Amino acid sequence: QMPVMIGGDHSLTLGAIRAARKHFPHLHLIHLDAHTDLREDYLGDPLSHASVIRRCHEELGDGRIHSFGIRSGLAEEFQFAREHLDLRAFSLEGLGQLAQVLGDTPVYLTLDLDVLDPSVLPGTGTPEPGGVSYRELLDALKEASGFRIVGSDFMELAPRLDLSAASTAVACKLLREWLLLIG
């Protein structure tokens, strides 16, 4: 059995990473997101959704976080990423090739739904224009299913911010497809 967490605030991912690392000390993290999430703190909170990947780096170390789709962050976050992470800005390309590199390495996948363009999923706390399409994300999830996935999460859905309920429908469909892919 493999845990899949769904939720709101992306900061919850840190607890899942800590738990997974206890069982899989060589854990790698695939991070699909619009934002770097590498701040030391956000509004004084070091456990913020804007700091979660920085905290995950403290758990996992250099070269074990692979971020895709990133298109927003502070200059110092991008500098930190260049020095410590595998960052693929603006797209999800390269995910399939990474599977060949990692082989049987245990992988946790975290998906911040704001990686999608807000025209596809507006119901998230920090929408960021210029995101990927539904089809691009679904194709990336198909590629990611080839990894040795030991846990995953889908985060940052905010249904109250989308009165049309389209965001919830998109998130549920993606989750269903992901469960079928890894099941």
Side-chain angles (χ1 to χ4, degrees):
Q1 296 188 12
M2 193 253 304
V4 176
M5 179 171 61
I6 56 174
D9 195 289
H10 204 175
S11 63
L12 296 171
T13 298
L14 178 58
I17 290 297
R18 286 177 173 163
R21 195 172 67 78
K22 286 181 182 178
H23 297 282
F24 305 99
H26 302 292
L27 185 70
H28 279 243
L29 175 62
I30 302 287
H31 168 226
L32 310 178
D33 200 329
H35 305 92
T36 54
D37 292 349
L38 289 168
R39 295 182 187 200
E40 270 300 331
D41 65 80
Y42 181 64
L43 302 175
D45 183 2
L47 298 176
S48 162
H49 67 93
S51 306
V52 65
I53 302 303
R54 183 69 163 248
R55 300 291 84 82
C56 289
H57 173 265
E58 292 168 359
E59 295 290 325
L60 300 175
D62 284 356
R64 291 173 49 191
I65 298 175
H66 313 276
S67 296
F68 293 84
I70 309 300
R71 56 192 184 278
S72 181
L74 301 175
E76 53 264 28
E77 291 179 276
F78 280 102
Q79 181 61 39
F80 183 88
R82 280 190 291 277
E83 294 171 6
H84 302 284
L85 276 62
D86 171 23
L87 181 111
R88 320 287 177 99
F90 300 103
S91 80
L92 305 177
E93 292 179 28
L95 195 55
Q97 292 87 347
L98 183 61
Q100 297 167 353
V101 173
L102 292 181
D104 198 36
T105 302
V107 170
Y108 186 99
L109 180 134
T110 183
L111 168 61
D112 184 327
L113 290 163
D114 68 19
V115 74
L116 288 161
D117 191 81
S119 64
V120 177
L121 192 131
T124 187
T126 50
E128 189 70 39
V132 302
S133 71
Y134 175 86
R135 174 55 57 196
E136 288 170 313
L137 182 53
L138 184 58
D139 289 346
L141 290 175
K142 287 177 183 174
E143 288 182 323
S145 70
F147 290 95
R148 180 182 167 204
I149 300 292
V150 298
S152 61
D153 62 53
F154 280 43
M155 306 305 281
E156 293 292 335
L157 177 65
R160 292 182 185 181
L161 298 179
D162 180 7
L163 298 178
S164 74
S167 298
T168 300
V170 169
C172 289
K173 175 103 179 194
L174 283 168
L175 179 60
R176 182 190 74 179
E177 295 302 316
W178 177 242
L179 292 173
L180 289 170
L181 286 166
I182 61 174

